[in-house]
Amino acid sequence: MELILKQDVENLGFKDDVVTVKNGYGRNFLIPTGHAILATSSAKKVLAENLKQRAYKEAKVVGEANEVAAALKELDIKISAKTGVGSKLFGSVNNADVVEAMAKEGQSIEKKFVTVIGGTVKRTGKYKAVIRLHREVTVDLEFEVVAQAK
């Protein structure tokens, strides 16, 4: 079943993408929740026209995302956390902690756009997070988890 996405769907595609999904997924979830519409020939023509008109605006947005990406690459993020024996943390560090550390540095990014590689962090050390600023612009951000001063 071919569908046109009306909004971003994680692990499937971005808004205005034409995707092929199984019939049940499209009929029972995507279409009723308003995430997608059927990709008929007339809907595809309307989509093509909208994409053509939006191309100029999109170039500006990508430029702004690239500027933010350059600023994020300059950040030196250190997250302090309580540690136990050795380098093991009490609790863990996740994407919300990375977003909070970036906010302290003056960059506000929504939590849903930040993904810590490997999931949650349970030990001190250097790690990476992927930040999706735009469908075409992603940034690999390195951060360090350090032991909190006792």
Side-chain angles (χ1 to χ4, degrees), residues 14-131:
F14 298 101
K15 181 180 178 184
D16 295 331
D17 282 350
V18 177
V19 295
T20 303
V21 297
K22 292 193 175 185
N23 291 339
Y25 184 49
R27 242 180 320 164
N28 298 327
F29 176 70
L30 293 174
I31 294 172
T33 57
H35 286 69
I37 59 170
L38 280 173
T40 60
S41 61
S42 62
K44 286 181 182 179
K45 288 178 185 175
V46 170
L47 174 67
E49 184 62 31
N50 288 342
L51 289 177
K52 191 183 343 175
Q53 292 175 359
R54 199 176 306 145
Y56 174 74
K57 294 176 188 174
E58 195 75 19
K60 182 179 177 185
V61 172
V62 169
E64 291 172 358
N66 283 326
E67 290 175 12
V68 172
L72 287 176
K73 287 181 182 178
E74 299 295 321
L75 291 181
D76 183 31
I77 295 182
K78 293 186 192 273
I79 300 172
S80 62
K82 291 183 181 180
T83 57
V85 178
S87 63
K88 191 171 181 182
L89 300 179
F90 287 124
S92 61
V93 173
N94 57 19
N95 60 342
D97 299 313
V98 174
V99 168
E100 184 179 317
M102 285 191 305
K104 288 178 184 174
E105 297 288 328
Q107 295 292 332
S108 62
I109 305 290
E110 286 187 48
K111 181 173 74 168
K112 66 182 180 180
F113 298 128
V114 177
T115 306
V116 175
I117 296 177
T120 57
V121 175
K122 304 263 188 192
R123 296 192 172 274
T124 59
K126 292 189 177 208
Y127 296 94
K128 283 188 178 181
V130 176
I131 302 170

